[in-house]
Amino acid sequence: MATPSVTDVSAARLTDSELMRTLADRCERRRCDDADIARLSAEIAERSRSSLGSNSLASRMRASGAAALVVTIGRITRVDAARYVTVGSATAARVSITGQALEPRYPYLADALATGDIPMDAAAVIISNPDQASPRAHDDDLVVAEAAMAEFARSQPADLVRRFAICCRDRLDSDGIASREEDLVSRRALSFVELASGMSRLTWDLDPLSAATVRGFVDTYINTLHHTGKKSQSLFDFQSDGETDLNALRDIRTRKQMASDGMLELFAHVSNCSTTVSPMPKRTLVVRMTLDSLLTGLGEATVDGVEQPISAGTARRMAAEAGIIPIVMGGPSEILDLGREQRLFTPKQKLAILEIHPTCAACGRPPEWTEVHHIRWYQRDGGRTDIANAIPLCSSDHHAVHDNGWEITTKDGVPWFIPPSAVDIYRTPRRGHSIPRILFPAHA
Ligand SMILES: [Zn+2]
Ligand SMILES: [Zn+2]
């Protein structure tokens, strides 16, 4: 009989490094246990296959199917059970009709699960995203994408793996973007639930573009509050190195409370126009696409701060409505580089920098929260105001770099953060928040 071995007392006695090591050890153990559960669930599914009729294991146990049986046995949610079955089945070795052993459907993922390197959430997205793309994707590309995602997931947190998987899916199947987008739009919904505490909870499902609109409003509202007292309050109001004003951040409300207040102010304004909303700076919605996609309307576009890409068609419609200013990226950056002439990065430079790092390079917070940092400091190191020397950081990570001795290097476009020795005596670099660019082989 397995029992938990950590108690309040034993946890309290651990040193900091023992505490972190023990947690890492248990998480590893959990990944291994999860991989076992997935394998066993796949076997349950195999013995419950529909061709066995009333002889199937699930029917004999009076369950409606394999996942339902796993739910009963494990007392877990339906979603978790289905995920174990899916991951287990996609990574199980197969046998052909003639009795020949075949590779699993996802061989690289199977390897990574077998070594206990991948948590279930990451394994699930590595399967579900390419599965959506596979009817239209090239087989070789599917293999390349799976290998890249499995490798990435061995060392990266599951949230980042999800972003990478979405990105792979859309590279694999750019034709499917429009229909997926329609599907997402049709699933929009707002519902209210009254909680026992007397609070009401709103659940609002939004497609990527609508979400960007709402989120942009909220982020701008909060940032405006954070920066009150400053002259300009646009998206491109960068703070120079070391000048971030901590006192401006001392609003005692939490971000979530501010977000709620902002939405309420908006509703109050709409329902009674004599009430005024606090003055808001205009927000720039940054949409990124290739010139080719802009001209043809084919392919994808991304909106800064939104995980899901939108179709190029939608982006073009937005452009027609808003009167856009296209900035064509991808050319040489020399015209954007300012060298030592100027200390502050310009708005155009920030756009180009966000093309390389679309979020806070350390933690993935949305671009509106970021300030541009000189990797080699302007004053201390004589660093240049050039794209290659720039990295977007949220204010909290920006502070960590300036005040707490974190250092930054970039390698192949990936930012690495080197902790100060007070945090890690070995100063092992930590990968920043950045997903790899995937390249597919050329097809004949
Ligand atoms: Zn950050
Ligand atoms: Zn800085």
Side-chain angles (χ1 to χ4, degrees), residues 360 362-363 365 394 397:
C360 168
C363 70
R365 285 205 176 99
C394 69
D397 287 318

mmCIF file of all heavy atoms in Angstrom, residues 360 362-363 365 394 397, ligand 1:
data_model
loop_
_atom_site.group_PDB
_atom_site.id
_atom_site.type_symbol
_atom_site.label_atom_id
_atom_site.label_comp_id
_atom_site.label_asym_id
_atom_site.label_seq_id
_atom_site.Cartn_x
_atom_site.Cartn_y
_atom_site.Cartn_z
ATOM 1 N N CYS A 360 7.395 38.911 -22.844
ATOM 2 C CA CYS A 360 8.528 39.071 -21.920
ATOM 3 C C CYS A 360 9.430 37.865 -22.136
ATOM 4 O O CYS A 360 8.969 36.728 -22.068
ATOM 5 C CB CYS A 360 8.055 39.119 -20.466
ATOM 6 S SG CYS A 360 9.436 38.955 -19.302
ATOM 7 N N ALA A 362 11.550 36.596 -20.348
ATOM 8 C CA ALA A 362 11.827 35.775 -19.174
ATOM 9 C C ALA A 362 10.620 34.948 -18.766
ATOM 10 O O ALA A 362 10.744 33.782 -18.429
ATOM 11 C CB ALA A 362 12.279 36.655 -18.013
ATOM 12 N N CYS A 363 9.418 35.556 -18.790
ATOM 13 C CA CYS A 363 8.280 34.852 -18.199
ATOM 14 C C CYS A 363 7.089 34.727 -19.135
ATOM 15 O O CYS A 363 6.129 34.055 -18.799
ATOM 16 C CB CYS A 363 7.842 35.553 -16.921
ATOM 17 S SG CYS A 363 7.065 37.132 -17.217
ATOM 18 N N ARG A 365 4.956 37.112 -20.106
ATOM 19 C CA ARG A 365 3.853 38.074 -19.966
ATOM 20 C C ARG A 365 3.657 38.793 -21.298
ATOM 21 O O ARG A 365 4.587 38.931 -22.085
ATOM 22 C CB ARG A 365 4.174 39.095 -18.880
ATOM 23 C CG ARG A 365 4.024 38.514 -17.476
ATOM 24 C CD ARG A 365 3.752 39.634 -16.486
ATOM 25 N NE ARG A 365 3.501 39.092 -15.160
ATOM 26 C CZ ARG A 365 4.421 39.034 -14.191
ATOM 27 N NH1 ARG A 365 5.637 39.490 -14.410
ATOM 28 N NH2 ARG A 365 4.120 38.538 -13.015
ATOM 29 N N CYS A 394 9.252 42.222 -18.741
ATOM 30 C CA CYS A 394 8.212 42.852 -17.932
ATOM 31 C C CYS A 394 8.897 43.592 -16.791
ATOM 32 O O CYS A 394 10.069 43.341 -16.515
ATOM 33 C CB CYS A 394 7.231 41.815 -17.394
ATOM 34 S SG CYS A 394 7.940 40.730 -16.162
ATOM 35 N N ASP A 397 10.707 41.383 -14.162
ATOM 36 C CA ASP A 397 11.945 40.744 -14.607
ATOM 37 C C ASP A 397 13.026 41.774 -14.927
ATOM 38 O O ASP A 397 14.215 41.518 -14.750
ATOM 39 C CB ASP A 397 11.674 39.849 -15.817
ATOM 40 C CG ASP A 397 10.936 38.583 -15.403
ATOM 41 O OD1 ASP A 397 11.302 38.014 -14.370
ATOM 42 O OD2 ASP A 397 9.991 38.181 -16.106
HETATM 43 ZN ZN ZN B 1 8.605 38.791 -17.224
#
